[in-house]
Amino acid sequence: MNVKTGYILSGLLSVAILSACSSVGGDTLENIQDNGKVQVGVANERPYGYEEADGGVTGASVEVARAVFSELGVDELEGSVVEFDALINGVNSRNFDVVTAGVYITPDRCENALFSEPDYRIGEGLAVQPGNPHNITSYQDIADNPDLTVTVMSGAIEIEYLREMGVDNSQIEQVSSITDNISALSSGRTDAITMTDLTLRTALQDQDDDNVEIVEDFEQPVINGEEVYGYGAAVFHPDDEEFKDAYNEKLQELKDSGRILEIMKPFGFTEDNMVDDMTTEELCAG
């Protein structure tokens, strides 16, 4: 091989490498449509996204996404189950195409992730030991008593809510799963646990633990003068604006037709959980 030929081959190889690298982002939606399959990330959190006994995934957010992707011409949805705090890193690393785990839209998360428009809103839930021996009915009660501890899933929005309400970091214990969260309370290692209201109720229905009691008169946290609600949405790679826009278009059609509530009802959602006029832009702005 002469020098000139070597330079040409080297150049072609460089172009090929650059092309391969640039196609990692690529046209994600087009690739998904060509393959007829979308890979979604979930966190095994009922009722939003979780694995079934046969290895498939379902849940309110999963089924909304399934309906959206069906309208986009993609009929196969395959799930990847990861820890909740690994969801955004997972989609940003292209381990899956989109997250359908009901992740709340927050300003901090918006710095590292691309959210669809929200598909539901929901309040928080709190559980304590039977009889509520410490009379905990709010996050404020925990903040006012430094001897109390509360357990939360790692990466969950409730950590931010608790801190905003004045709960000290030393009072907040973090665990990796819903099961570990309930176990911490059931065994007496913590005084309270918190997660979204539907997650808590669904988890306790599944586990039927007599050592855990839901606080029915729980006061929703009030931050900056407003009662807090979480808004959940699908999460996309930051480069996938066109993919996100196409998803939003079909999502809006589900909302306009009322079909979204029909999809989410079997998982415990009601009309009260449907999104008002809140937008992702507003939520990202705080």
Side-chain angles (χ1 to χ4, degrees), residues 125-171:
L126 189 76
V128 294
Q129 293 162 1
N132 199 357
H134 300 289
N135 194 29
I136 306 170
T137 60
S138 67
Y139 289 168
Q140 189 64 56
D141 289 337
I142 300 171
D144 291 342
N145 186 345
D147 292 330
L148 296 178
T149 57
V150 58
T151 304
V152 191
M153 280 195 301
S154 178
I157 189 63
E158 288 80 13
I159 297 170
E160 182 179 329
Y161 291 164
L162 288 163
R163 289 169 177 165
E164 288 282 350
M165 294 294 294
V167 178
D168 192 81
N169 283 333
S170 63
Q171 297 175 263

Side-chain angles (χ1 to χ4, degrees), residues 20-283:
C21 292
S22 64
S23 66
V24 172
D27 187 339
T28 307
L29 178 56
E30 185 178 331
N31 292 338
I32 290 169
Q33 289 172 324
D34 288 344
N35 294 329
K37 179 171 72 175
V38 59
Q39 190 80 23
V40 303
V42 302
N44 237 16
E45 181 181 0
R46 296 175 181 266
Y48 309 102
Y50 55 93
E51 189 172 26
E52 297 182 284
D54 63 2
V57 292
T58 189
S61 297
V62 171
E63 296 307 324
V64 168
R66 196 188 304 275
V68 169
F69 282 112
S70 178
E71 292 297 319
L72 290 170
V74 181
D75 293 325
E76 186 177 351
L77 186 149
E78 186 174 292
S80 294
V81 180
V82 301
E83 298 294 342
F84 185 87
D85 57 2
L87 287 168
I88 290 176
N89 284 339
V91 73
N92 287 350
S93 300
R94 300 284 185 186
N95 294 333
F96 27 83
D97 303 308
V98 60
V99 169
T100 59
V103 178
Y104 279 7
I105 305 167
T106 69
D108 286 345
R109 288 173 179 165
C110 289
E111 293 180 4
N112 301 304
L114 186 65
F115 285 92
S116 71
E117 290 301 319
D119 49 30
Y120 75 88
R121 73 169 196 165
I122 204 164
E124 299 306 310
L126 189 76
V128 294
Q129 293 162 1
N132 199 357
H134 300 289
N135 194 29
I136 306 170
T137 60
S138 67
Y139 289 168
Q140 189 64 56
D141 289 337
I142 300 171
D144 291 342
N145 186 345
D147 292 330
L148 296 178
T149 57
V150 58
T151 304
V152 191
M153 280 195 301
S154 178
I157 189 63
E158 288 80 13
I159 297 170
E160 182 179 329
Y161 291 164
L162 288 163
R163 289 169 177 165
E164 288 282 350
M165 294 294 294
V167 178
D168 192 81
N169 283 333
S170 63
Q171 297 175 263
I172 303 172
E173 303 290 339
Q174 298 185 41
V175 293
S176 61
S177 70
I178 295 171
T179 301
D180 290 343
N181 206 3
I182 294 174
S183 175
L185 180 60
S186 180
S187 64
R189 298 196 310 273
T190 191
D191 299 303
I193 60 174
T194 185
M195 57 191 83
T196 75
D197 181 65
L198 268 178
T199 301
L200 180 60
R201 293 180 186 278
T202 304
L204 291 182
Q205 286 174 2
D206 291 343
Q207 298 198 23
D208 191 25
D209 194 322
D210 293 335
N211 294 318
V212 177
E213 179 179 300
I214 292 177
V215 178
E216 296 294 352
D217 57 347
F218 173 65
E219 300 172 21
Q220 290 295 321
V222 177
I223 299 173
N224 296 326
E226 294 186 6
E227 194 173 77
V228 169
Y229 283 92
Y231 289 79
V235 189
F236 300 81
H237 189 283
D239 292 341
D240 284 344
E241 282 277 358
E242 291 185 9
F243 181 17
K244 180 261 297 181
D245 290 343
Y247 185 97
N248 277 339
E249 182 180 342
K250 297 303 180 183
L251 177 63
Q252 188 60 50
E253 291 177 6
L254 293 183
K255 293 179 180 179
D256 292 342
S257 68
R259 189 178 165 208
I260 190 168
L261 179 56
E262 295 175 10
I263 293 170
M264 301 182 87
K265 261 186 177 179
F267 301 96
F269 288 76
T270 69
E271 184 69 40
D272 289 340
N273 299 122
M274 295 300 97
V275 177
D276 42 26
D277 57 355
M278 185 65 71
T279 67
T280 295
E281 183 178 3
E282 291 173 304
L283 292 164

